[in-house]
Amino acid sequence: TREKISTQHSTSVIALPCYVAGKPIASDKVLEVRSPYDNRLVGTVALAGATHAEQAIAAALKGGPKLTRYERYQVLEKTKQLLIERKEEFAQVISAESGLAIREARYETGRAHDVLMFAAIESLKDDGQIFSCDISPSGKARKIFTLREPLSLAVCITPFNHPLNQVVHKIAPAIAVGTPVILKPSEKTPLTAIKLAELLYEAGLPHYMLSVLLGPTKEIAEPLVKDNRVEIVSFTGSVAVGKHIATTAGYKKVILELGGNDPLIIMEDADLDKAVFLAAEGAFRNSGQRCTAVKRILVHEKVKDAFVEKFVVKAKEYTCGDPADEDTKVGTVIDEAAAIYLEAVVNKAVAQGARIVLDGKRRGALLEPIVIIDVPRNAEMVVHESFGPLAPVLTFKDIDDAIALSNSTAYGLSSGIVTNNMEYALRFVKELKVGTVNINEVPGYRIESSPFGGIKDSGLGVKEGVIEAMKCFTFVKTFSMPW
Ligand code: NAD
């Protein structure tokens, strides 16, 4: 086994409330948050109910002091500073509640730092446009100007896989434009989200600007999605829930960032050491639980054997074990049920003729990286999203075949291509039906302010990333004047 076992953990339990506009709620219903690694109690959350959802809406719409651009900048900048000071505390909570390796949790705090920094900077910028109207034969001596107004209320719903980064990617852009948010984070990883809200309040965010609610889906998430007073629902999560929201949200803006099934495509001219590194980082980082993780490795048949030989050696470096252990590279997946599902899809692929070349043991929610080759194109593990440290390898015969294979799933989030051939690179950029094409990088490569988001089942093509998300949380007003 490649698993290391140790049992050194802090035993203090973090007890947190939900917040209605900055006010902690009292409740006798409590959510227990347990470590996916050893099932110990990490924390508790006092749960909200339907009346709290109603109070949160009322408080947000009643409003309060409107922040100037400079004040919004100050709140975001101060939150960033507080996060830097408490980086280790946040990393420990992320790791404890999600089972992600502590090194991944620390990396995530760095990403959240960037989100806050970019949102702070962007809050100072005005992207208003000016149109002179005397520019056609029928023109007039007027000018048209644009300005952005914040939406009155946003509901943001986030998944478990990056307990901090998913949440900050919703809240920071909304604050940057002055839109109040009701956040409904994942029940699987609520502690980090609530601690971030506390950081924002501490940094001076007016309380009406943020509520954080967790509770029964029928009392919190679903009514909030349907409520006519909510002007935008911004959701990141699975395709199934995203499509459900699309049908229930009614007449309002809906942002959907859904699942992915991203390929790493390795051409015959690829630098194989680079391909091996990108495949391993893409497939195994964050326990394979990134929307943009490498979920299919597509290799040109001429270099498949050489690639697989090196890749198996590399994959063994991704040691799996106690998330709190400094040496652990791969922590748990989110829970035992997820690990059992992943084992099952591997077994089904084997029954269809695939071969395991690096087997991974499972213990509870811990699943060691698995490398599996000769995976049939119709295997469940590559047709649907497998959210874990699996590395299925498929082959193609030429670039046409690679493009067809890559485009063959229902998803269209991102992609990575390993080639030094400019013609190949350009064809992939033009012909892949995805939101992003990264040449000689993992599909997940981005900066936090660049446009990000997918098409097909991965999303409606509306981008997030700090700058685009800020646009989502506003509407554009035009006004014109004689000139
Ligand atoms: P999920 O869809 O199960 O849950 C996401 C959120 O939706 C949770 O907060 C959950 O409580 C809430 N929810 C559940 N039912 C709901 C309902 N009926 N109405 C409203 N909200 C409801 O997703 P998950 O398992 O937490 O996250 C994993 C998924 O997220 C993967 O598919 C992954 O690819 C995707 N993801 C996408 C992106 C992206 O940017 N495209 C990023 C990260 C994760």
Side-chain angles (χ1 to χ4, degrees):
T1 176
R2 282 165 280 134
E3 183 199 332
K4 289 191 183 168
I5 296 174
S6 80
T7 50
Q8 298 294 308
H9 295 290
S10 118
T11 48
S12 57
V13 173
I14 310 162
L16 294 172
C18 289
Y19 285 94
V20 172
K23 197 162 161 266
I25 66 160
S27 167
D28 49 13
K29 294 202 186 73
V30 168
L31 173 73
E32 290 192 341
V33 184
R34 292 186 174 275
S35 156
Y37 176 65
D38 56 12
N39 205 39
R40 77 182 187 286
L41 188 63
V42 178
T44 59
V45 179
L47 287 177
T51 52
H52 297 112
E54 189 56 40
Q55 288 166 7
I57 292 174
L61 295 180
K62 180 161 174 265
K66 297 270 177 286
L67 300 185
T68 65
R69 285 181 184 272
Y70 181 63
E71 287 165 341
R72 286 177 247 150
Y73 165 84
Q74 280 183 309
V75 167
L76 293 163
E77 179 61 25
K78 174 83 186 177
T79 307
K80 186 195 84 182
Q81 290 300 337
L82 292 173
L83 181 64
I84 291 171
E85 285 163 26
R86 297 178 206 168
K87 181 180 154 113
E88 187 58 25
E89 182 190 328
F90 267 84
Q92 294 290 344
V93 176
I94 293 171
S95 175
E97 70 174 341
S98 69
L100 292 172
I102 185 66
R103 48 168 42 210
E104 298 288 11
R106 290 194 187 116
Y107 175 76
E108 187 170 335
T109 61
R111 291 190 62 187
H113 163 282
D114 289 5
V115 174
L116 290 163
M117 178 179 76
F118 292 138
I121 292 169
E122 294 301 325
S123 69
L124 299 176
K125 297 184 189 166
D126 191 330
D127 71 350
Q129 293 175 290
I130 305 172
F131 298 83
S132 293
C133 303
D134 58 348
I135 59 170
S136 73
S138 59
K140 279 192 174 182
R142 296 183 68 79
K143 279 185 198 283
I144 297 172
F145 303 82
T146 71
L147 61 87
R148 286 187 183 274
E149 294 194 345
L151 300 184
S152 56
L153 177 55
V155 163
C156 298
I157 303 177
T158 52
F160 69 79
N161 65 319
H162 286 293
L164 179 61
N165 200 44
Q166 295 294 357
V167 175
V168 78
H169 257 295
K170 300 288 187 203
I171 303 179
I175 293 171
V177 299
T179 296
V181 172
I182 299 175
L183 172 72
K184 211 301 287 168
S186 170
E187 277 71 22
K188 294 171 183 166
T189 56
L191 304 175
T192 311
I194 296 172
K195 281 174 66 70
L196 175 69
E198 290 178 341
L199 224 53
L200 285 154
Y201 297 138
E202 189 180 334
L205 183 69
H207 288 178
Y208 78 91
M209 286 287 294
L210 180 62
S211 291
V212 187
L213 300 180
L214 289 129
T217 303
K218 292 258 173 297
E219 285 186 50
I220 308 283
E222 293 200 336
L224 286 174
V225 165
K226 288 180 189 157
D227 198 289
N228 288 334
R229 294 165 292 178
V230 172
E231 285 195 327
I232 178 172
V233 172
S234 180
F235 172 83
T236 300
S238 64
V239 175
V241 175
K243 287 190 173 179
H244 176 69
I245 286 174
T247 62
T248 55
Y251 188 69
K252 59 172 69 77
K253 249 186 176 178
V254 179
I255 310 298
L256 299 171
E257 295 292 348
L258 310 181
N261 200 346
D262 294 352
L264 184 74
I265 303 175
I266 302 165
M267 298 305 289
E268 75 275 20
D269 71 304
D271 171 340
L272 280 192
D273 290 328
K274 179 176 277 170
V276 161
F277 175 74
L278 295 176
E281 288 284 287
F284 307 139
R285 289 285 302 275
N286 226 56
S287 304
Q289 300 172 124
R290 290 184 73 177
C291 51
T292 52
V294 169
K295 300 195 177 109
R296 299 177 290 152
I297 300 172
L298 315 183
V299 192
H300 194 290
E301 59 191 16
K302 280 191 193 146
V303 293
K304 176 213 158 199
D305 290 342
F307 168 80
V308 169
E309 194 182 325
K310 283 170 180 268
F311 183 53
V312 168
V313 174
K314 185 78 185 168
K316 287 179 185 162
E317 292 174 13
Y318 289 73
T319 47
C320 181
D322 184 346
D325 191 330
E326 298 288 333
D327 295 334
T328 295
K329 285 202 165 174
V330 181
T332 68
V333 292
I334 192 62
D335 51 29
E336 183 168 13
I340 290 171
Y341 169 79
L342 293 164
E343 263 188 333
V345 290
V346 169
N347 291 338
K348 282 186 203 167
V350 169
Q352 284 180 274
R355 281 196 300 134
I356 295 173
V357 287
L358 178 68
D359 204 358
K361 303 262 173 308
R362 182 182 72 79
R363 186 170 68 79
L366 269 187
L367 182 66
E368 290 174 333
I370 297 174
V371 180
I372 178 164
I373 65 170
D374 302 337
V375 178
R377 294 184 177 195
N378 65 354
E380 185 180 334
M381 73 181 297
V382 291
V383 172
H384 298 294
E385 179 182 38
S386 299
F387 218 52
L390 308 183
V393 179
L394 291 81
T395 55
F396 58 84
K397 63 178 179 5
D398 56 27
I399 185 166
D400 293 322
D401 193 25
I403 290 168
L405 178 56
S406 178
N407 287 340
S408 68
T409 78
Y411 301 83
L413 191 54
S414 188
S415 58
I417 316 294
V418 196
T419 185
N420 291 313
N421 180 320
M422 183 67 93
E423 279 174 36
Y424 283 165
L426 286 176
R427 277 201 63 191
F428 284 117
V429 169
K430 290 176 186 171
E431 295 180 45
L432 291 186
K433 303 269 186 284
V434 289
T436 298
V437 179
N438 287 329
I439 308 296
N440 289 328
E441 251 302 351
V442 289
Y445 181 76
R446 62 185 291 198
I447 59 169
E448 310 302 335
S449 55
S450 58
F452 173 83
I455 56 171
K456 296 164 68 181
D457 274 4
S458 299
L460 295 172
V462 181
K463 296 280 190 181
E464 289 196 304
V466 169
I467 296 172
E468 294 300 312
M470 284 171 65
K471 294 179 189 165
C472 294
F473 289 117
T474 60
F475 68 85
V476 175
K477 181 180 277 179
T478 54
F479 63 98
S480 74
M481 313 253 284
W483 206 264

